[in-house]
Amino acid sequence: MQHSDNANTVIVLDFETTGLSPTQGDRAIEIGAVLMENGEVVDRFQKLMNPGFRVSSFIESYTGITNNMLRTAAPCDEVMDQFTDFIGDYNLVAHNASFDKRFLDAELDTINRSYGGEFACSMLIARRLYQNAPNHKLGSLVAYKNIDHDGVFHRALADSEMTAKLWLQMLEDMQDQFHIPQPSFTLMQQVSKKTKAAVPTFLHKMATT
DNA sequence: TGCCAGGCCCTCTTTAGGGCCTT
């Protein structure tokens, strides 16, 4: 199961953080993730974590995560150690994955742990698949594709659940619209790296070979 | 914590600039 190329087994994750850049001192304050197998969420992970300093009022209002909530949370190192066990070597999906990968790598560097999976970015794939969407923010794509949600945004587990549903929707559209029987994780990664103009030709080739 | 990133992608491009995404 580890290093699987099966797009049907992935960890979809989302971080809430103190800001935009770990190189500027920002830390994770919440991690949420779902383990998906064959289109079903079979496991979940959600924990707040204490970054060791107060978060800004902007972050408090943006996420709804307050300094009071973080005061009693376990430190980042402890939570990220548990999370590393959760993700194992599964492949990983996130919306704007470069952001979440930077924080995952930074947090794991501090505890000398690593992971064996690769990232795929739902935003880059959606930009190519849904070129008529008004924009490619997670919330906009959820509305655009009429994906069910509970109205919670900018919390780690809620966003990872929505990203997981978007991922499944993209797999489905890959099958229905582009006639690719069983899109692999690697194929999804390949799509995210093609230019928009090259995607239709690439998918046509994948469908007919 | 400190006072703001980084990578993708388009275009009136490549001797560059700016919008989109993530918190």
Side-chain angles (χ1 to χ4, degrees):
Chain A
M1 188 59 75
Q2 295 186 339
H3 297 290
S4 173
D5 187 39
N6 186 344
N8 295 328
T9 303
V10 293
I11 298 268
V12 186
L13 65 92
D14 182 67
F15 278 105
E16 303 306 316
T17 70
T18 64
L20 292 173
S21 178
T23 62
Q24 302 295 311
D26 288 316
R27 300 292 301 269
I29 58 173
E30 187 183 39
I31 179 65
V34 298
L35 171 61
M36 281 205 309
E37 288 180 0
N38 303 313
E40 299 282 339
V41 173
V42 295
D43 203 0
R44 290 176 169 81
F45 188 101
Q46 183 277 324
K47 276 199 162 62
L48 293 171
M49 54 193 122
N50 190 330
F53 53 87
R54 291 181 64 81
V55 303
S56 68
S57 56
F58 171 79
I59 293 298
E60 282 192 317
S61 62
Y62 185 81
T63 64
I65 300 168
T66 64
N67 282 292
N68 195 45
M69 291 162 69
L70 295 174
R71 193 171 52 82
T72 53
C76 295
D77 292 4
E78 186 179 322
V79 172
M80 291 309 300
D81 193 50
Q82 296 167 12
F83 185 62
T84 308
D85 293 336
F86 181 77
I87 62 177
D89 287 330
Y90 288 116
N91 285 324
L92 307 166
V93 172
H95 200 68
N96 198 8
S98 67
F99 175 86
D100 294 279
K101 182 177 189 299
R102 278 198 295 278
F103 276 95
L104 181 63
D105 291 351
E107 292 294 346
L108 265 50
D109 272 352
T110 71
I111 56 173
N112 288 312
R113 294 206 60 181
S114 61
Y115 56 97
E118 294 186 16
F119 268 93
C121 177
S122 57
M123 184 192 73
L124 293 180
I125 297 167
R127 278 181 178 170
R128 289 159 175 77
L129 240 44
Y130 306 137
Q131 298 189 21
N132 293 326
N135 61 59
H136 300 86
K137 295 176 185 177
L138 179 59
S140 302
L141 289 165
V142 164
Y144 180 69
K145 297 303 293 183
N146 291 311
I147 291 169
D148 286 339
H149 62 88
D150 59 11
V152 177
F153 293 92
H154 306 306
R155 285 299 300 268
L157 186 58
D159 281 6
S160 64
E161 302 255 14
M162 284 190 289
T163 302
K165 289 177 181 173
L166 174 63
W167 177 258
L168 291 178
Q169 183 67 57
M170 293 194 297
L171 290 177
E172 189 181 316
D173 289 341
M174 203 75 84
Q175 299 185 40
D176 294 349
Q177 295 176 25
F178 300 101
H179 311 295
I180 295 169
Q182 287 193 318
S184 68
F185 184 86
T186 300
L187 181 131
M188 298 297 271
Q189 280 184 315
Q190 287 172 328
V191 167
S192 75
K193 290 170 186 170
K194 299 284 177 189
T195 65
K196 281 185 185 176
V199 165
T201 304
F202 173 74
L203 291 179
H204 179 70
K205 195 173 297 180
M206 296 307 295
T208 55
T209 53

